[in-house]
């Protein structure tokens, strides 16, 4: 481990997972992760293309990196700069043209080839950057080594990639490629390794994670509900989550899992995007506002304390004041514990970018402010409603104040407590004292014992009966 590697991650949880995997791939070459790009032997920007702003950030960061690259060269070293992720996939040639300091560009499906790419860059005398943005026939997962380092108390595990839904605003089907699910045995093995290395909470990630349909050892294709049930049987794994889901793929088995699996946390991110049917239709979301209402009703029937989070886009082409009022009405009716809202950002190559009825920026800004204010009020009310309750909190990291630890409640709220460092990575019972806008402050009541594995899955029980 004599070379240093700095990876900067933008965007979604898939990218967080991919960055950790890139570090795994580069570890056998002697690269050790560091916290700063200054002086590093390799810097990788793992990028996001979902909105224009996210993509722009890459070019300004590449500008900043030029100085570090020059400093490294003047001390006789060489800093390799790589661009990975969805901007690499979508704008690879443009990056090499505009940013000659970049040595290699790769897409989300080719990072298992990093060692080969690095070797080619180092061998070739020329400074011309190399590009690998194919969608290879082989799956990257077949070529990734085991984790080089423990992932900590809470970890992401990618089970599904790509998307076939083609929402008219979204670049993902073009940058991540077609939908693909990892086989069950591979996911279980990775989860077991994470738990053996100290992880207590696993979040299954995928662009459309609940479209999961992985090949199982019994020859069947398992949906996400069945997979969660299998993972809940792993001793030492205390908590399970999954993200991001599409309302269309909330099937019966998955909804039932929310009622049956104690380890599945009572919090679900279920993007709605808009509360108006004409907009949902123009977005090609393939569900109505009423469909969403019904899914939420069924989820709450299965798990009454389920808290919901969501994504919204305001100012989608053709969105009228009336459509937007429908979104506000549905948000008020459902009640979200947390949510993200975005101004619609036209993305090159997507149908909505060239559709009529583009909404002026000022209107988007007004709608964003109105929706954000409603969602913030709901979040604060939810957090305040937790005051006085005792909840289990997984203590994940140290806080800014000395003697402070920060963890997550079952509802994904950040919880600040005064606690000894020895409790890092443990689950504690915490009394919630104060609910704030984005977090809670609590008091530790004691450490909680680990739960045992969660019995058998309903489908296995049926088979025995
Ligand atoms: N697969 C998820 C789903 O179906 O809802 C969404 C994944 S996407 C990576 C995350 C969020 O980014 C979306 O839910 C959407 O709200 C937002 N988003 C995607 N494209 C966008 C665009 N062109 N402009 C603004 N927001 C966008
Ligand atoms: Fe993008 Fe999600 Fe739609 Fe797929 S389902 S196109 S990832 S928004």
């Amino acid at each position: 481990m004599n070379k240093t590697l700095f990876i900067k991650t933008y965007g979604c949880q898939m990218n967080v997972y991919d960055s950790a995997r890139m570090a795994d791939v580069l570890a056998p070459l002697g690269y050790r992760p560091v916290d700063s790009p200054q002086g590093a032997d390799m810097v990788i920007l793992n990028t996001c293309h979902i909105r224009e702003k996210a993509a722009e950030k890459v070019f300004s960061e590449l500008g900043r990196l030029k100085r570090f690259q020059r400093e490294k060269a003047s001390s006789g070293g060489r800093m390799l700069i790589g661009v990975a992720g969805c901007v690499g996939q979508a704008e690879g040639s443009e990056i090499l043209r505009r940013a000659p300091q970049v040595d290699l560009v790769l897409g989300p499906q080719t990072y298992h080839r990093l060692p080969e790419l690095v070797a080619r860059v180092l061998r070739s005398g020329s400074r011309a950057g190399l590009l690998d943005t194919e969608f290879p026939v082989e799956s990257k997962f077949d070529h990734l080594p085991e984790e080089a380092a423990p992932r900590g108390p809470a970890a992401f595990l990618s089970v599904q990639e790509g998307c076939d839904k083609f929402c008219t605003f979204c670049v993902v089907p073009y940058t991540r490629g077609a939908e693909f699910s990892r086989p069950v045995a591979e996911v279980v093995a990775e989860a077991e390794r994470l738990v053996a290395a100290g992880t207590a909470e696993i979040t299954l990630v995928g662009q459309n994670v609940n479209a999961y349909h992985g090949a199982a050892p019994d020859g069947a294709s398992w949906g996400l509900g069945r997979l969660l049930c299998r993972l809940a049987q792993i001793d030492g794994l205390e908590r399970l989550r999954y993200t991001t889901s599409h309302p269309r793929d909330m099937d019966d088995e998955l909804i039932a899992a929310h009622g049956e699996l104690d380890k599945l946390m009572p919090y679900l991110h279920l993007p709605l995007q808009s509360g108006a049917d004409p907009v949902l239709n123009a977005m090609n979301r393939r569900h109505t506002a009423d469909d969403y209402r019904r899914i939420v009703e069924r989820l709450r029937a299965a798990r009454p304390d389920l808290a919901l989070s969501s994504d919204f886009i305001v100012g989608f082409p053709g969105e009228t004041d009336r459509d937007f009022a429908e979104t506000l009405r549905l948000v008020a009716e459902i009640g979200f514990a947390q949510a993200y809202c975005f101004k619609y950002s036209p993305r090159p190559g997507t149908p909505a970018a060239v559709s009529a009825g583009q909404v002026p920026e000022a209107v988007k800004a007004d709608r964003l402010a109105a929706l954000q204010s409603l969602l913030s009020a709901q979040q604060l009310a939810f957090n305040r409603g937790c005051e006085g309750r005792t909840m289990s909190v997984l203590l994940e990291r140290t806080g800014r104040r000395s003697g402070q630890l920060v963890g997550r409640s079952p509802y994904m709220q950040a919880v600040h407590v005064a606690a000894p460092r020895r409790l890092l990575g443990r689950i504690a019972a915490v009394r919630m004292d104060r609910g704030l806008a984005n977090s809670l402050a609590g008091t530790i009541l004691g450490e909680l014992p680990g739960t045992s594995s969660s019995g058998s899955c309903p489908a296995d029980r049926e088979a025995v009966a």
Side-chain angles (χ1 to χ4, degrees):
M1 291 280 185
N2 50 7
K3 287 180 267 182
T4 53
L5 165 71
F6 175 75
I7 304 183
K8 182 161 182 166
T9 308
Y10 300 82
C12 64
Q13 293 93 338
M14 301 289 297
N15 269 9
V16 176
Y17 175 85
D18 288 342
S19 292
R21 295 308 256 150
M22 280 188 245
D24 295 337
V25 168
L26 290 168
L29 273 67
Y31 286 96
R32 159 180 68 83
V34 289
D35 293 333
S36 158
Q38 201 165 7
D41 294 295
M42 192 183 320
V43 174
I44 296 178
L45 305 183
N46 192 11
T47 61
C48 171
H49 201 241
I50 203 85
R51 282 169 293 278
E52 195 180 353
K53 264 202 191 128
E56 272 170 11
K57 280 186 197 156
V58 179
F59 286 100
S60 45
E61 187 62 27
L62 285 173
R64 269 197 293 275
L65 286 176
K66 247 197 305 200
R67 183 166 64 88
F68 294 140
Q69 199 178 41
R70 273 198 304 267
E71 280 172 14
K72 182 90 181 171
S74 62
S75 65
R78 180 168 180 191
M79 173 189 283
L80 294 183
I81 298 182
V83 177
C86 291
V87 181
Q89 186 67 43
E91 297 185 24
S93 316
E94 175 71 2
I95 292 170
L96 293 180
R97 194 183 63 74
R98 275 178 62 184
Q101 67 274 34
V102 173
D103 297 285
L104 45 104
V105 176
L106 55 152
Q109 305 309 343
T110 47
Y111 64 75
H112 57 294
R113 297 179 182 165
L114 257 171
E116 187 191 318
L117 219 55
V118 170
R120 275 171 56 204
V121 168
L122 292 175
R123 263 200 319 267
S124 85
S126 114
R127 284 253 17 164
L130 293 180
L131 183 72
D132 186 356
T133 50
E134 272 180 44
F135 287 112
V137 268
E138 85 268 13
S139 155
K140 69 184 173 204
F141 294 108
D142 295 342
H143 298 269
L144 295 176
E146 291 192 1
E147 303 69 35
R151 297 295 197 248
F156 294 125
L157 197 173
S158 172
V159 299
Q160 183 275 339
E161 281 265 344
C163 181
D164 295 338
K165 293 251 179 341
F166 290 92
C167 298
T168 54
F169 53 81
C170 184
V171 287
V172 166
Y174 312 97
T175 56
R176 289 264 171 179
E179 207 176 287
F180 162 82
S181 295
R182 296 177 71 189
V184 169
E186 199 178 299
V187 173
V188 172
E190 188 168 326
E192 284 174 345
R193 288 199 305 272
L194 291 172
V195 172
T199 293
E201 174 180 302
I202 292 180
T203 302
L204 305 182
V205 294
Q207 255 78 40
N208 225 344
V209 71
N210 59 341
Y212 178 84
H213 55 280
D218 61 4
S221 167
W222 285 14
L224 191 68
R226 188 87 199 267
L227 179 70
L228 285 163
C229 192
R230 171 65 188 87
L231 294 172
Q233 292 170 4
I234 298 176
D235 271 331
L237 177 58
E238 303 295 336
R239 293 170 152 206
L240 277 163
R241 305 180 188 273
Y242 60 94
T243 198
T244 295
S245 296
H246 192 291
R248 285 269 303 198
D249 295 315
M250 289 307 303
D251 63 20
D252 294 348
E253 206 169 33
L254 183 54
I255 292 176
H258 279 276
E260 284 162 1
L261 302 178
D262 292 341
K263 291 185 181 184
L264 183 56
M265 292 293 100
Y267 175 87
L268 176 64
H269 183 69
L270 192 62
L272 172 56
Q273 315 297 358
S274 166
D277 288 343
V279 177
L280 287 170
N281 189 37
M283 286 176 165
N284 191 31
R285 292 294 286 177
R286 293 184 259 176
H287 67 81
T288 62
D290 269 346
D291 293 335
Y292 191 90
R293 279 188 184 91
R294 275 190 292 272
I295 293 164
V296 169
E297 257 169 41
R298 293 180 58 213
L299 280 160
R300 284 178 169 159
R303 182 81 205 224
D305 65 334
L306 187 83
L308 286 163
S309 134
S310 200
D311 289 342
F312 296 92
I313 296 177
V314 298
F316 184 77
E319 185 189 62
T320 62
D321 285 342
R322 203 166 142 184
D323 293 329
F324 179 63
E326 286 288 294
T327 301
L328 291 177
R329 196 163 69 87
L330 190 51
V331 168
E333 180 189 321
I334 288 185
F336 291 94
Q338 213 227 322
Y340 303 91
C341 40
F342 311 103
K343 287 195 264 182
Y344 169 66
S345 166
R347 307 307 295 127
T350 59
V354 289
S355 59
Q358 299 289 329
V359 173
E361 269 313 300
V363 176
K364 287 184 193 171
D366 285 350
R367 290 181 186 166
L368 186 73
L371 182 54
Q372 256 168 353
S373 126
L374 174 58
L375 289 165
S376 302
Q378 290 190 339
Q379 183 170 351
L380 181 62
F382 181 75
N383 289 348
R384 286 204 176 137
C386 295
E387 288 175 1
R389 288 178 60 184
T390 298
M391 292 185 200
S392 67
V393 173
L394 172 59
L395 298 162
E396 292 179 22
R397 58 185 171 86
T398 51
R400 273 198 219 123
R401 297 202 194 131
S402 98
Q404 188 184 54
L405 297 183
V406 186
R408 293 268 169 200
S409 76
Y411 306 109
M412 274 301 271
Q413 298 145 299
V415 181
H416 295 83
V417 289
R421 263 189 94 94
R422 68 175 173 78
L423 287 184
L424 255 188
R426 321 296 295 196
I427 296 182
V430 172
R431 191 190 60 232
M432 302 299 168
D433 299 325
R434 268 190 80 198
L436 307 162
N438 295 306
S439 64
L440 290 154
T443 307
I444 296 259
L445 300 181
E447 193 179 336
L448 290 173
T451 47
S452 59
S453 71
S454 280
S456 58
C457 293
D460 298 334
R461 291 199 292 272
E462 274 159 33
V464 171

